Amino acid sequence: MPPFPSPPEPEPYNMNNELAKERNRAAAERTLMAWIRTALSLIGFGFGIDRIVAAVQTSRLSGSDRINLSVRLLSIGFIAIGNIALLVAVLQHQQVLKRLRRSDFRYDPPIPIATITAISLLIVGTLALLTLLSG
């Protein structure tokens, strides 16, 4: 037995595996870009709702504090959902890239960002509807 173990032999270069990894990396990039667009839309929508309602109420020179608060909460909800979705998408993208770099790649189901975002929007939308119906 030699005093030092010999290093393991590197795996032979497999062009099919490398091309598959490149396709998966490109798909991960497209997915991240889609989440960036979605998050930007949510953030912009939240900001836009707040500014439009503020401009309308300023032009009427009257406004209900309850409407102001509910619109503000709705706007904050959209902006928060956009920011959180973007953060989770970036973290998930980094995990995918890390797994692709490994030679023993195995599939792990990702966090369902779309489902979480949809449920969050459903909650915010329901709260907004309840606020409008009770006013």
Side-chain angles (χ1 to χ4, degrees):
M1 181 167 177
F4 299 107
S6 60
E9 291 190 29
E11 291 185 27
Y13 186 77
N14 184 332
M15 180 64 92
N16 289 332
N17 286 348
E18 296 305 311
L19 290 174
K21 285 182 179 182
E22 178 56 27
R23 286 190 299 273
N24 286 335
R25 187 209 53 79
E29 294 290 325
R30 288 189 299 272
T31 301
L32 179 61
M33 290 303 296
W35 275 110
I36 290 171
R37 288 188 296 272
T38 300
L40 185 59
S41 296
L42 287 166
I43 293 167
F45 190 65
F47 185 76
I49 288 172
D50 187 59
R51 296 293 91 205
I52 289 170
V53 170
V56 167
Q57 288 183 343
T58 301
S59 68
R60 290 192 310 184
L61 298 175
S62 67
S64 167
D65 288 337
R66 181 178 175 149
I67 291 174
N68 284 340
L69 179 61
S70 62
V71 169
R72 181 64 44 103
L73 290 175
L74 180 66
S75 299
I76 290 170
F78 277 114
I79 293 169
I81 291 169
N83 283 330
I84 291 168
L86 184 58
L87 176 65
V88 173
V90 168
L91 293 174
Q92 187 177 77
H93 178 73
Q94 292 302 314
Q95 288 175 344
V96 167
L97 294 181
K98 184 178 177 182
R99 285 195 325 257
L100 284 173
R101 282 188 223 108
R102 295 176 52 185
S103 61
D104 60 338
F105 176 80
R106 68 182 178 93
Y107 177 75
D108 290 325
I111 299 168
I113 306 172
T115 304
I116 293 169
T117 303
I119 291 170
S120 300
L121 287 172
L122 181 65
I123 292 168
V124 168
T126 302
L127 292 174
L129 180 63
L130 292 174
T131 302
L132 289 174
L133 291 176
S134 67

